[in-house]
Amino acid sequence: MKNFTYVLNPNREEIGRVSKYFDFPFDYLGGILDDYENARFETDENDNNLILLQYPSESNYGEVATFPYSLIWTKNESVVLALNHEIENTEIFDRNYDFKRYKHQLVFQIMYQLTHVFHIYLKDFRARRRKLEVGIKNSTKNDQIVDLIAIQASLIYFEDALSNNRKVIQKFIDYLRKEDEDGFADKIYDVFVEMDQAYTETKIQLKLLENLRDLFSNIVSNNLNIVMKIMTSATFVLGIPAAIFGFYGINVPIPGQTFHWMVWLILVVTIVVSVLVVRLLRKKDMI
């Protein structure tokens, strides 16, 4: 693909050389240096076109964040893709392209592939959420909430990125129709549909996670309350023998102390009283 240039993790000097070689503005590529660069579509006076969108990639914090990529097609039919985080590009490089429609097919394939990555991560989020739902019922720890927060943070990035991407792609489609590129516009609309589906699913998953997070907090709190109730009841029941034995252990004359079988009577009374107390606590749902 001699008309395709792939720029990965460039510095400012490298961006300057590429921009000068293809004769387009520095910020066409410079935007990827800022991870929070807004998505946009631009055309300069030399008929060079930029579509800057955001795509998902794993960050250093255990989350899946979104980062900008620049896709440029120049006046001399060259295509430049620049990004700061590597992607799975097998589908892009291993395809056969029609020479006459090379630029259009390559631009479409890049946009479609990067959009498809959103769906891959969303599928993984669904599986992780279902796993959390299965293990959440008996949880008394906060371990699972860490994974839940990571998924929720990732989906917030997705929601913002996909919302902006949809707007930019719609502008791009409108531009293509004005340039009588209706056939290419229809292909790009397929990308818009995929992105819109990802946006809808992201919002749904965010709502489900919000409900799951509230449920998780309630279940953890309820389970801890049950544990505390059991511990309190157990302490109360175990205090009965201690009180009886403590009473008969005082160093003063007490009834029955001269009878040899008195120790067995004390044990029997203690057991009976403890059993009656346990039944009473169960009846009142206190144990």
Side-chain angles (χ1 to χ4, degrees):
M1 294 190 290
K2 62 181 181 179
N3 291 331
F4 178 52
T5 302
Y6 181 58
V7 183
L8 178 62
N9 197 21
N11 55 40
R12 295 185 65 86
E13 293 181 358
E14 292 169 335
I15 290 175
R17 290 198 296 268
V18 174
S19 301
K20 183 177 180 180
Y21 178 82
F22 288 103
D23 192 23
F24 54 68
F26 177 89
D27 66 337
Y28 273 24
L29 293 183
I32 67 170
L33 298 178
D34 181 7
D35 288 341
Y36 301 98
E37 184 76 11
N38 290 327
R40 65 181 187 272
F41 170 67
E42 294 182 11
T43 301
D44 67 5
E45 65 277 4
N46 295 325
D47 199 28
N48 296 311
N49 300 279
L50 162 72
I51 183 165
L52 190 149
L53 299 174
Q54 293 179 312
Y55 70 101
S57 181
E58 294 185 11
S59 68
N60 296 327
Y61 305 102
E63 303 168 351
V64 181
T66 54
F67 304 96
Y69 74 89
S70 293
L71 180 58
I72 305 162
W73 56 102
T74 69
K75 58 186 177 182
N76 60 0
E77 300 296 310
S78 295
V79 177
V80 180
L81 172 63
L83 35 72
N84 260 342
H85 300 267
E86 193 168 5
I87 60 166
E88 174 57 45
N89 49 34
T90 303
E91 291 293 328
I92 298 173
F93 289 102
D94 291 353
R95 295 183 70 89
N96 294 321
Y97 297 94
D98 183 359
F99 180 77
K100 294 181 179 179
R101 301 285 296 174
Y102 169 80
K103 181 178 72 172
H104 289 159
Q105 290 179 352
L106 182 57
V107 170
F108 166 77
Q109 190 59 44
I110 291 172
M111 293 177 64
Y112 183 86
Q113 181 63 25
L114 290 174
T115 300
H116 183 63
V117 177
F118 279 103
H119 288 278
I120 294 175
Y121 279 115
L122 287 170
K123 182 178 179 181
D124 178 63
F125 293 155
R126 285 198 305 271
R128 289 165 64 182
R129 191 193 75 244
R130 288 167 182 164
K131 184 177 179 181
L132 288 172
E133 290 172 349
V134 171
I136 203 172
K137 295 180 181 178
N138 299 318
S139 177
T140 57
K141 301 179 180 180
N142 292 330
D143 296 343
Q144 292 170 307
I145 203 170
V146 175
D147 191 32
L148 191 150
I149 291 174
I151 297 174
Q152 191 171 38
S154 302
L155 288 172
I156 291 173
Y157 287 124
F158 277 32
E159 184 180 34
D160 182 69
L162 288 166
S163 177
N164 293 331
N165 286 358
R166 288 165 65 251
K167 296 175 183 177
V168 172
I169 290 181
Q170 186 60 63
K171 290 180 181 179
F172 182 44
I173 292 173
D174 294 339
Y175 167 81
L176 293 174
R177 298 198 188 282
K178 290 179 182 179
E179 296 293 320
D180 294 326
E181 291 276 6
D182 290 338
F184 187 36
D186 291 340
K187 293 289 291 181
I188 298 300
Y189 182 75
D190 293 340
V191 176
F192 177 84
V193 170
E194 288 291 319
M195 195 163 290
D196 189 58
Q197 290 175 348
Y199 178 64
T200 301
E201 183 176 352
T202 297
K203 292 195 298 181
I204 292 173
Q205 288 208 39
L206 266 175
K207 291 180 180 179
L208 291 174
L209 275 178
E210 289 173 1
N211 294 335
L212 182 62
R213 187 171 180 176
D214 293 339
L215 178 62
F216 181 86
S217 298
N218 292 335
I219 289 177
V220 169
S221 178
N222 183 63
N223 289 343
L224 288 175
N225 288 337
I226 292 174
V227 171
M228 292 303 298
K229 182 173 69 173
I230 293 174
M231 294 297 295
T232 302
S233 300
T235 302
F236 178 74
V237 172
L238 292 175
I240 296 173
I244 295 176
F245 294 147
F247 176 76
Y248 276 91
I250 58 179
N251 193 22
V252 294
I254 56 176
Q257 64 180 7
T258 60
F259 298 101
H260 296 292
W261 47 265
M262 193 60 187
V263 63
W264 301 108
L265 178 61
I266 293 173
L267 287 175
V268 171
V269 171
T270 300
I271 293 173
V272 171
V273 173
S274 298
V275 170
L276 291 176
V277 171
V278 169
R279 288 185 176 181
L280 180 63
L281 292 175
R282 284 184 176 178
K283 185 177 181 180
K284 295 182 176 294
D285 194 28
M286 296 178 65
I287 189 173

